[in-house]
Amino acid sequence: MTKLKKPPNALQRLWKELLEPIVFAVVITQFLATLVGVDGVSMMPNLRHHERVFVPKYETWLHKAGLGSFKRGDILIFKPAAAAETRTFFNLWTYRPFLIKRLVGLPGDKIRISKGVVFVNDLALSNDYTASYWQAQGCWDTDSSIANQIQSNLKGIVPDAAELTVPAGQYFVMGDNRTENGSEDSRLFGPIPLRDIAGRAAAVIWPIMRQENAKYNCAIQSANPADYVTTSGKSVLNWRVLTRPETFNQTFGK
């Protein structure tokens, strides 16, 4: 005899149709992998405004549990405890956005910067992965306070400092944009703790294609990157794995 199956009640329907997909999506994006949009030009020329990157979240949870660690040259997504930049949500409340920068200094590293050149444990970090682009644009910063101090009081968050030893459990990050006002990073708000890191950008997945060249007009000050970044040239495939620049493979005295 065939038994009739009871139709789901309202609570079961709510779970199946609404809550179950939400819970599944949260688990995936918080513990397995997610996509993050790049907002701004602080990682140019290696990442452009509105590109989207793939972030393996499971990797971060493993690192926080003591299995493996982030490495110099990784591109990290994080929320600093004291960012100089804040935003408002429909004028209802103020929040600090997630930022995306390159990991330069590990816990215990001694960091300094002179004429735009970064030194890690007294070894110069080659700027080949970013310098040639900014020099070609005429924007390579060698004179400002953030090009000659590892910490600057420009935003009133950290004191001026010529040299810094990265505290235990923290990381020193910098943007690839080395114009005078190109990046809000650890030079302005200090090192970031591991607990505030959301993940590592592993690959660019959107847009699928992009124009080959990007010109940056340093003379224009605007909140809209479209006002000072222009693209040209043929369209090329934009899918790419974000590998660490060769210069970060040095031992840096450790």
Side-chain angles (χ1 to χ4, degrees):
M1 181 177 178
T2 303
K3 292 184 178 179
L4 295 176
K5 188 176 181 180
K6 286 185 177 181
N9 57 36
L11 188 59
Q12 289 172 326
R13 287 199 303 272
L14 177 65
W15 167 256
K16 190 69 176 177
E17 297 175 9
L18 180 62
L19 297 180
E20 186 179 43
I22 292 176
V23 170
F24 182 75
V26 168
V27 169
I28 293 293
T29 58
Q30 291 300 311
F31 296 99
L32 295 180
T34 191
L35 302 180
V36 172
V38 177
D39 184 11
V41 295
S42 72
M43 286 300 293
M44 278 189 69
N46 297 299
L47 292 176
R48 296 183 189 174
H49 183 50
H50 283 169
E51 287 186 330
R52 298 190 72 83
V53 296
F54 173 78
V55 180
K57 295 296 291 287
Y58 65 86
E59 189 179 78
T60 307
W61 290 109
L62 289 174
H63 294 345
K64 290 180 178 180
L67 301 174
S69 62
F70 294 112
K71 295 178 173 58
R72 297 185 196 91
D74 285 343
I75 296 175
L76 303 181
I77 293 92
F78 61 94
K79 181 173 285 189
E85 178 186 355
T86 59
R87 300 182 186 179
T88 58
F89 182 77
F90 293 107
N91 294 319
L92 297 177
W93 69 82
T94 301
Y95 70 98
R96 293 187 176 95
F98 281 96
L99 302 181
I100 181 167
K101 311 290 177 185
R102 192 177 299 277
L103 172 55
V104 172
L106 299 174
D109 280 346
K110 182 175 67 175
I111 314 289
R112 62 185 174 89
I113 186 169
S114 177
K115 295 294 183 182
V117 178
V118 180
F119 292 82
V120 181
N121 299 322
D122 295 323
L123 293 177
L125 179 66
S126 169
N127 288 308
D128 290 347
Y129 65 96
T130 186
S132 58
Y133 174 82
W134 293 112
Q135 289 166 351
Q137 307 306 304
C139 305
W140 180 249
D141 178 25
T142 60
D143 299 323
S144 74
S145 64
I146 63 169
N148 290 283
Q149 297 183 115
I150 203 58
Q151 284 192 170
S152 173
N153 191 35
L154 281 174
K155 298 293 184 179
I157 297 175
V158 295
D160 289 336
E163 186 175 280
L164 171 76
T165 297
V166 184
Q170 299 189 32
Y171 298 86
F172 196 92
V173 296
M174 293 178 64
D176 289 352
N177 186 329
R178 299 297 176 79
T179 63
E180 184 172 351
N181 299 302
S183 174
E184 178 187 314
D185 52 41
S186 286
R187 292 171 293 175
L188 298 176
F189 53 68
I192 57 168
L194 176 61
R195 66 174 180 272
D196 291 336
I197 297 175
R200 175 182 67 92
V204 177
I205 60 132
W206 187 263
I208 298 173
M209 307 292 291
R210 74 171 183 176
Q211 286 185 286
E212 194 171 27
N213 305 311
K215 183 173 178 57
Y216 191 103
N217 189 333
C218 311
I220 297 177
Q221 298 294 317
S222 171
N224 182 7
D227 293 338
Y228 52 88
V229 177
T230 55
T231 58
S232 63
K234 65 181 181 181
S235 292
V236 295
L237 185 66
N238 196 34
W239 285 341
R240 51 204 160 91
V241 175
L242 294 171
T243 57
R244 302 179 193 95
E246 184 64 30
T247 185
F248 288 98
N249 292 331
Q250 300 180 64
T251 58
F252 294 102
K254 287 193 170 186

